[in-house]
Amino acid sequence: MTNNESPYFKKKEQPILVDKTPRNQIGKLLVNKAQKGNRLLNYIKNVDWMFESIAPDYVFGNDGCALFLSCRFHMLHESYIYNRMKQIRSFKVKILLVLIDMDHNEHIIKELSKLSMVADFTMILTWSLSEAGRYLETYKLLESKGTELLKHKPKDDYRSQVLESLTSLRGVNKTDVQVMIESFDTVKGLINASMEELTMCPGIGEKKVKRLLHAFNQPFRQSNIRKQSKINFSENKQSESTKEEPPIEEEPEEDDSYQDLNLK
């Protein structure tokens, strides 16, 4: 293997382009012409792509791009990725897609992580070419999606909201919640139920009952918890002070009469 070859490229490296990348207006994943021969392209099957004269290796959307790098290639050309990152500045989303293809790679990952933070890149580690291809496909498919996709969408119906809130307790599953709703009809009846009534529900053991009662009776505000703990502490202190101390037994005085005896 020569110094200018990579196990993932069949052709020699091409000169680095200045970042004058045209924005992606054609709906395809743009691929740098220097990526010809990269076996990673064989795993990009779910999106359309085409070669283009661009500075990054891949461009998805109007503001996203990615650079591809293998650890083995970085060992041979340490300054390569630094020069590539330095030329790319006009993208909001900049991905460094790293392929882990060698053992003892901790120092390489640490070095690339520092470099990514300085250059404002997000580093993603992959352990196969197929995994790297799926990342590129996902970024391309979700290029037009907003942050609302990541937000949690609460359920609209009341029963689903009760299931979601009660299953947040550790050890309580959906089946337990459904059994308790059917047994007590309403949430108010469930909250007001006693420990004996809760244990009568099938599948609800003592541990789950204690967790439920603790959640139902715990104050919402942290300050109330602190006040309650202070009150309990003061009450315990007063109860300890009111306890009668056991009487102290006086030791009998020693008889000193033997000191007056004149023992001969």
Side-chain angles (χ1 to χ4, degrees), residues 156-260:
D156 296 332
D157 58 299
Y158 180 72
R159 189 182 184 89
S160 299
Q161 293 177 355
V162 174
L163 284 171
E164 186 176 0
S165 61
L166 293 180
T167 51
S168 62
L169 299 176
R170 186 167 61 91
V172 179
N173 53 42
K174 292 184 178 180
T175 304
D176 297 332
V177 178
Q178 290 175 353
V179 170
M180 289 186 292
I181 290 177
E182 293 176 358
S183 301
F184 299 100
D185 294 333
T186 62
V187 176
K188 182 179 180 181
L190 174 61
I191 294 175
N192 295 330
S194 63
M195 185 173 184
E196 291 76 11
E197 292 173 338
L198 290 172
T199 52
M200 293 294 291
C201 297
I204 309 298
E206 184 178 353
K207 291 184 178 180
K208 292 181 181 180
V209 171
K210 289 182 178 179
R211 289 169 185 163
L212 287 168
L213 294 177
H214 180 265
F216 294 156
N217 297 301
Q218 187 176 10
F220 285 105
R221 299 178 63 180
Q222 190 70 20
S223 59
N224 294 338
I225 299 176
R226 293 177 181 175
K227 290 179 181 178
Q228 186 66 28
S229 60
K230 289 181 179 179
I231 293 173
N232 295 336
F233 176 76
S234 61
E235 290 178 354
N236 294 334
K237 191 174 182 181
Q238 291 177 0
S239 61
E240 291 178 358
S241 61
T242 55
K243 291 181 180 179
E244 296 182 357
E245 297 181 357
I248 301 176
E249 297 181 358
E250 297 181 358
E251 297 181 358
E253 297 182 358
E254 296 182 356
D255 189 3
D256 297 335
S257 58
Y258 71 93
Q259 297 180 0
D260 297 334

